[in-house]
Amino acid sequence: YTGGMAYWYGGNLSLLYSFQINRLRSVVLLLGMYFFYLYAIEGVHYILRQKNENVGTATEKTGKWGTAYQKYSFWMTWGILVFVWFIHLILRYPGAMSYDNWAQLRYYYGFETYTTAQPIFHTWLFGSFIRLAVKLGSPNVGLFLFVLMQSLIMSAVLAWTLELMKRWNTAVWLRTLTFAVYCIAPYFTGYAAFPIKDYLYTAFLVLLACLMAEWMLEEEQFWNQAVQNVLWIVAAALMILCRKNGIYLYLVVTVVICVQMFWKKKRTRRVIGRKVAIVILPFLLVFAVEGIITQVYHVEKDSPKEMFSLPFQQTARYVKEYGDEIPGEEREVIAKVLDYDSLAEIYEPMTADPVKTTYRSGSTGDLVAYFNVWMKEFFRHPLCYVEATWNQNYYVFAPYADNVVYNKNCLVGSDLEYDKEYYSWLNFQIPEKMEGVSNIAVKLYSLLTTAPVIGMFSNVAFYVILMFVLLHFVRLEKNKKAFVVMLPALISFLFVLLAPQIQGQPRYAFPIIYTMPLMIAFYQKTERG
């Protein structure tokens, strides 16, 4: 928290100790926030451990609505979420585009080389919706149907988290708060109309986390239930297909399942065989689907610049601060991979995008040589690398920083397309009677995001800090089941650190934000036994 304040105001840690008054302020802030967090953490622990006698009975009310809820709780919850979110879809009709969406359409229609820079399945899926609508005479309809489709999926998954919380007798206050957040918080309502790849990826990741929670509770019986098994395969496969990070996350889950499978005392060959088939099948489906799309659309592999965003960013800061110390041979090595001469000038502390776009060589030899130099420079000035990482990522622990970005409408990114030949017929438009409505909706989201208390539920740092607080409780109590359910969120946190930026891109933290209620509820369930 204290280090983040230094970057917030000055861009480096030296602000904390550059003047005597700053040193005093830093000590006061450090000690003050330490004790604040200490007591806040104890308070959270006390609340989560409360044994509420009315946990399971508060919603069991008599009357028509109470009876209907008990019988159709999932469908009622889903229906309300769909109704509330549909209002937001209408306000931002036909949808909120992004630069990535325009890139996907260029790939899909063949105006640029179709590469793996964007997830090829999500690109194909989005393009297919738009192509069908263009044939029907209105690309607007295709965009709207796509965001409606993804909203239906996400709302169903979130309704299922509430259904699981009901089954687990989760405290009523937590279920009520969760439902309210789903219906009101801009990080949920404000992104329903955004057809970005992270949205569907997060939906299927949350579904996988729900299934992992059921697996932890039911153990071997889980693998004998056909519906859960099919959902597992679908969730894992589509999660991987919608974003490349998914395969690394699922590999970790697979390893955990294999370890559990071979160390469990009570097991049969039948259960092991079924479990192995279910776990492996998503990989095979992904391979088949991506293989077909690759062959049909002649997809080419993109450079690995995305995965090297963080080391590239560290190199750029090093060149900016210690460029005079870099020997000529090291400059040559860096120049084979990045545009060395421009690094100091284009370096932006909060995003690695300008640096990674100068990536030149995919040669294995050049990359090996580069990382040798990268390692040498780290040992010369390790604090420089720490600052490059911290400066880019302090937002994940900065509840005082508003990370607000809500693309307004379908015209975002279109400024780059006007000179393209396809823009004349692929022309998304806001209906004349709705001009300005999406701007009002986005201003409302921004207002709610900055509002006291309510804004806390649309703050990346709030969820990240809460995740680590929960992890602390899980560690103290040696709650292995809860740790397994937290794995998707914890791995996603590593992806956030390695991503090109988090400031202005809260979507990278969506897996943490959207799984938080489930993780807390599961901790309550397993902590109570």
Side-chain angles (χ1 to χ4, degrees), residues 310-327 330-331 334 338 340 343-344 347 355 370 373-389:
L310 182 59
F312 288 168
Q313 183 78 334
Q314 293 166 337
T315 294
R317 187 165 182 131
Y318 191 96
V319 171
K320 183 178 179 66
E321 296 187 356
Y322 303 102
D324 295 340
E325 300 179 12
I326 301 177
E330 291 186 4
R331 295 185 185 187
I334 296 173
L338 301 170
Y340 181 90
L343 292 182
Y347 170 71
V355 174
Y370 163 77
V373 169
W374 175 83
M375 185 63 69
K376 290 178 183 178
E377 293 175 347
F378 167 73
F379 284 111
R380 289 182 197 142
H381 296 285
L383 184 59
C384 179
Y385 280 29
V386 171
E387 287 199 314
T389 307

Side-chain angles (χ1 to χ4, degrees), residues 17-136:
Y17 51 82
S18 55
F19 301 100
Q20 185 173 355
I21 187 63
N22 284 6
R23 289 195 288 271
L24 179 60
R25 288 172 176 170
S26 300
V27 172
V28 172
L29 182 61
L30 185 63
L31 292 177
M33 294 313 301
Y34 170 77
F35 287 106
F36 170 78
Y37 275 113
L38 185 65
Y39 285 108
I41 290 169
E42 290 298 327
V44 171
H45 200 207
Y46 174 79
I47 292 172
L48 294 184
R49 289 174 63 90
Q50 287 301 295
K51 306 295 190 296
N52 186 348
E53 295 181 358
N54 297 320
V55 160
T57 61
T59 57
E60 296 177 1
K61 300 177 181 178
T62 58
K64 182 173 64 175
W65 290 109
T67 303
Y69 175 77
Q70 289 303 314
K71 191 173 182 180
Y72 306 108
S73 54
F74 169 76
W75 298 105
M76 289 182 67
T77 304
W78 187 25
I80 295 173
L81 282 176
V82 169
F83 174 76
V84 172
W85 287 14
F86 189 75
I87 295 173
H88 293 270
L89 295 185
I90 294 298
L91 291 175
R92 301 172 77 187
Y93 180 87
M97 295 276 279
S98 70
Y99 291 92
D100 283 352
N101 292 130
W102 285 103
Q104 288 179 310
L105 292 177
R106 291 196 298 271
Y107 292 167
Y108 182 81
Y109 282 104
F111 291 98
E112 284 187 15
T113 302
Y114 198 148
T115 73
T116 57
Q118 299 291 336
I120 63 175
F121 172 78
H122 190 275
T123 298
W124 170 83
L125 184 64
F126 182 60
S128 297
F129 268 76
I130 304 304
R131 178 185 287 274
L132 177 61
V134 168
K135 290 182 178 179
L136 296 175

Side-chain angles (χ1 to χ4, degrees), residues 25 37 65 73 84 99 104 146-147 153 168 176 181 196 252 260 276 320 364 399 401 407 426 488 504 522:
R25 288 172 176 170
Y37 275 113
W65 290 109
S73 54
V84 172
Y99 291 92
Q104 288 179 310
F146 186 87
V147 296
I153 293 174
W168 298 339
T176 304
V181 168
I196 198 68
V252 175
Q260 190 266 359
V276 169
K320 183 178 179 66
T364 302
N407 286 21
L426 188 59
F522 189 82

